[in-house]
């Protein structure tokens, strides 16, 4: 799960080995500041346009929980042409109300708590970035860098799906309520 750029330390090497195939991590070599490193997390589901599933979200949580103190910034990117197509619709299942709320709260907690550590989390966005969960993850980052190919979509209403990852709260704070309602 590591690539040739990898200079992953022993603890992160163990973590990388335990991650699902949908995530790759690479610890970039130290540059000008000693004991300061950048971790690159790649969503590695290009065959599904990096759609997000529970396994990947829990893997992201594991990465953020295991970050060593020398990691000062995290870059989150998507493999292939798209940052993410959003929620993997093949993961949807019938749930009762309590299970649906619990599932939504899990993702919301992960997106709320983990990208704020250790200091800066940046999303590199290109291609598709749907609201379903992935734009919510981008909204949770400290900085979003969008390439000219990036576009955003909010398709939940067309499918009757609740926005459960916290984006309905974060996006208006980032772009303003007036832009959300027009």
């Amino acid at each position: 799960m590591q690539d040739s750029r990898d200079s992953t330390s022993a603890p992160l090497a163990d973590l990388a080995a335990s991650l699902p195939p949908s995530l790759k991590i690479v610890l970039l070599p130290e540059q000008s500041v000693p004991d300061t490193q950048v971790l690159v997390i790649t969503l590695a589901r290009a065959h599904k346009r990096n759609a997000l599933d529970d396994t990947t979200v829990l893997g992201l949580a594991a990465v953020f929980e295991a970050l060593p103190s020398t990691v000062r910034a995290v870059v989150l990117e998507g493999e292939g042409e798209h940052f993410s197509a959003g929620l993997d619709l093949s993961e949807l299942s019938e749930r009762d109300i309590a299970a649906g709320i619990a599932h939504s709260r899990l993702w919301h907690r992960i997106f709320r708590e983990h990208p704020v550590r250790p200091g800066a989390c940046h999303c590199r966005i290109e291609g598709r970035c749907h609201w379903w969960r992935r734009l919510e993850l981008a909204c949770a980052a400290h900085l979003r860098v969008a390439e000219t190919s990036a576009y955003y979509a909010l398709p939940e209403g067309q499918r009757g799906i609740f926005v459960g990852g916290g984006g309905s709260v974060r996006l208006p704070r980032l772009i303003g309520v007036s832009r959300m309602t027009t």
Side-chain angles (χ1 to χ4, degrees), residues 94-142:
E94 290 283 330
R95 292 187 171 103
D96 63 26
I97 292 172
I101 290 171
H103 183 258
S104 179
R105 283 184 176 171
L106 170 71
W107 287 42
H108 185 78
R109 180 186 55 79
I110 290 169
F111 292 168
R112 181 185 70 241
E113 293 175 3
H114 295 296
V116 299
R117 294 183 280 175
C121 179
H122 307 278
C123 285
R124 187 182 68 80
I125 303 169
E126 63 179 324
R128 185 178 307 225
C129 184
H130 275 181
W131 178 268
W132 287 343
R133 307 296 196 236
R134 198 50 74 179
L135 185 53
E136 292 170 332
L137 179 58
C139 286
H142 295 103

Side-chain angles (χ1 to χ4, degrees), residues 72-86:
R72 297 286 188 235
V74 174
V75 176
L76 183 60
E77 65 181 7
E79 188 174 78
E81 296 180 14
H82 302 283
F83 176 63
S84 178

Side-chain angles (χ1 to χ4, degrees), residues 52-72:
L52 190 61
D53 59 4
D54 288 346
T55 302
T56 304
V57 170
L58 292 170
L60 284 169
V63 171
F64 280 103
E65 288 170 5
L67 285 177
S69 61
T70 57
V71 173
R72 297 286 188 235

